[in-house]
Amino acid sequence: MGQLDHWNAALESRKLKRKPVGVKIAGQDVVLFRTETGQVGALDDVCIHRRMRLSCGHVEGACVVCPYHGWKFTADGQGTSPGTPRMHGEAVSFDVREAYGIIWVKAAGVDAEFPDFALPGYYRVTSDTFTAEAPLELVIDNFCELEHSGTTHVLFGYDLDRMHEMTFDVRSDEHATYCRTVGPHKPIAWFQRKVFGLGKEVTFTSTWTTRFSPVQTIADHALSDTVTGRPARLQWRVGEFYTPIDAERTLVTIVVFMKSSYPGTHGGIRLFKPVFKRLANSEIERDIAMLASIADKDTSLEGMRLSRFDKVHALNRERLNRVYRGIELPRPVMHGPIMPSPIAPSSIVSPTFDA
Ligand code: FES
Ligand SMILES: [Fe+2]
């Protein structure tokens, strides 16, 4: 399979209104347009007549109209010329889905799994995209380790001074990697502790799975009171989707779900949705800013002084190339046993790895 054969996240649904929008997916220019009945079409963003960008055009009925000589194209690519009505042509069209507030695009007619990560009892608070000035590998690396949470993040993350107490476990199978970190959370302000229903000592457990069709990490972030073991009143599930724009840039799509044990509709989360959205986005913007500042954006791991927190990166690269890009490369050395299923909370075994 090639990169466009997967359900790549392309754009927030709310950003596609009456005007067509041009996006780039793995180097391919695609025009997205919403017909008058609300259906989304996706075509190669080059007019078959004289190569004008269709994203500079407009929508009429069920068609996107080229601004240059007025050719009209339906969502399945059928094109007609107003100047030469007997002339027909076909533009390359893509399959489109809208879900979780996001428009997803893949090559037409290819079988691909669609991400399914909503959980009962969780409420979606935000779906947003960010452009990372870094290649796909470096973006995945960032979202698959939490060593950076001690410094890069403000609202959540491990206590930098106690990072050595944090455990990190990795399992993998042919198609995914499964990670879990557990350790002391950085100090939390008293009013936040009150909202979360936590004492002074807080344990942060993050469990995440990274899959490659499309490239995605689904992370569950859980806070609990270290002394009583009681879970916080708010829990998070975050879907992170990584779509290469080109070799240097990556679209990061974040879908955040929350669960609350407070009474009322969705435990009050719906009421405070704008606040949670702003807080979540401010944390992702910190990741994006950090990625932009990496001095050398070579995607190779050669020559790096990798730590125990980095042991998943080689496993991810192998799956990224094989599953997402359809390229078979030599397998990296596995750390820990290969497991057929995600980590069950009771079955964590620390793999051996040099500190
Ligand atoms: S270039 Fe599109 S109609 Fe001529
Ligand atoms: Fe981060």
Side-chain angles (χ1 to χ4, degrees):
M1 289 179 100
Q3 298 176 109
L4 280 156
D5 294 339
H6 310 274
W7 282 110
N8 289 284
L11 186 74
E12 295 97 319
S13 287
R14 66 175 180 276
K15 288 189 180 166
L16 187 62
K17 298 190 171 113
R18 295 293 301 144
K19 178 109 189 59
V21 175
V23 296
K24 197 188 273 285
I25 304 170
Q28 165 76 50
D29 286 306
V30 175
V31 57
L32 301 174
F33 64 100
R34 196 181 288 284
T35 68
E36 280 178 358
T37 57
Q39 185 202 354
V40 179
L43 303 174
D44 184 5
D45 193 10
V46 181
C47 181
I48 57 172
H49 176 220
R50 295 237 310 269
R51 301 192 196 125
M52 172 55 70
R53 283 189 186 281
L54 293 174
S55 53
C56 295
H58 66 279
V59 175
E60 250 179 57
C63 296
V64 61
V65 182
C66 179
Y68 206 178
H69 313 94
W71 274 65
K72 292 183 178 182
F73 297 90
T74 57
D76 61 359
Q78 297 306 315
T80 48
S81 158
T84 316
R86 280 186 307 172
M87 205 170 168
H88 295 270
E90 195 170 346
V92 173
S93 64
F94 298 87
D95 289 342
V96 181
R97 275 181 79 163
E98 277 192 285
Y100 313 113
I102 299 293
I103 295 168
W104 310 74
V105 173
K106 73 163 178 65
V110 181
D111 262 350
E113 204 172 314
F114 192 78
D116 175 16
F117 64 103
L119 283 178
Y122 279 71
Y123 183 78
R124 180 161 59 86
V125 294
T126 180
S127 300
D128 284 288
T129 62
F130 305 81
T131 298
E133 299 292 332
L136 185 54
E137 282 88 341
L138 301 194
V139 173
I140 301 169
D141 293 349
N142 172 79
F143 287 96
C144 287
E145 55 86 2
L146 283 175
E147 186 182 9
H148 77 274
S149 68
T151 42
T152 303
H153 292 292
V154 173
L155 296 168
F156 83 100
Y158 291 97
D159 186 341
L160 191 61
D161 295 332
R162 297 177 64 187
M163 195 72 81
H164 56 276
E165 296 174 40
M166 175 183 157
T167 62
F168 180 36
D169 300 296
V170 179
R171 306 274 180 92
S172 58
D173 62 23
E174 285 292 294
H175 299 287
T177 58
Y178 309 96
C179 299
R180 166 172 292 208
T181 54
V182 183
H185 199 278
K186 58 179 75 173
I188 301 178
W190 71 267
F191 62 91
Q192 271 178 290
R193 280 194 273 120
K194 283 274 171 262
V195 172
F196 293 149
L198 296 167
K200 230 174 174 179
E201 290 279 309
V202 175
T203 298
F204 178 30
T205 303
S206 183
T207 311
W208 69 92
T209 299
T210 303
R211 297 182 191 280
F212 300 87
S213 178
V215 193
Q216 63 190 278
T217 301
I218 308 300
D220 289 302
H221 295 316
L223 301 181
S224 59
D225 189 299
T226 307
V227 177
T228 64
R230 208 171 40 236
R233 302 199 73 163
L234 301 171
Q235 309 286 348
W236 293 260
R237 165 162 279 210
V238 184
E240 295 147 1
F241 297 87
Y242 322 111
T243 306
I245 297 169
D246 51 31
E248 281 91 38
R249 294 173 302 156
T250 306
L251 187 77
V252 179
T253 301
I254 305 290
V255 181
V256 180
F257 287 92
M258 287 182 72
K259 185 178 154 182
S260 160
S261 65
Y262 282 101
T265 316
H266 303 294
I269 292 172
R270 194 167 158 188
L271 194 63
F272 291 99
K273 185 174 159 174
V275 177
F276 293 129
K277 180 184 176 74
R278 202 170 64 240
L279 295 176
N281 285 357
S282 73
E283 290 297 312
I284 300 299
E285 279 157 10
R286 290 174 184 280
D287 289 306
I288 301 298
M290 206 55 75
L291 283 163
S293 302
I294 292 176
D296 180 350
K297 292 178 182 165
D298 188 339
T299 59
S300 165
L301 296 172
E302 290 295 313
M304 291 184 176
R305 285 297 300 275
L306 299 176
S307 77
R308 66 190 179 105
F309 300 108
D310 299 309
K311 57 194 172 187
V312 73
H313 305 325
L315 297 171
N316 284 342
R317 274 168 175 64
E318 189 277 330
R319 285 152 188 76
L320 176 69
N321 282 317
R322 179 167 44 81
V323 179
Y324 185 64
R325 295 184 175 135
I327 305 167
E328 288 276 355
L329 293 174
R331 301 290 177 96
V333 177
M334 302 290 179
H335 299 288
I338 297 175
M339 296 295 289
S341 60
I343 297 171
S346 58
S347 67
I348 302 297
V349 177
S350 292
T352 53
F353 197 83
D354 296 335

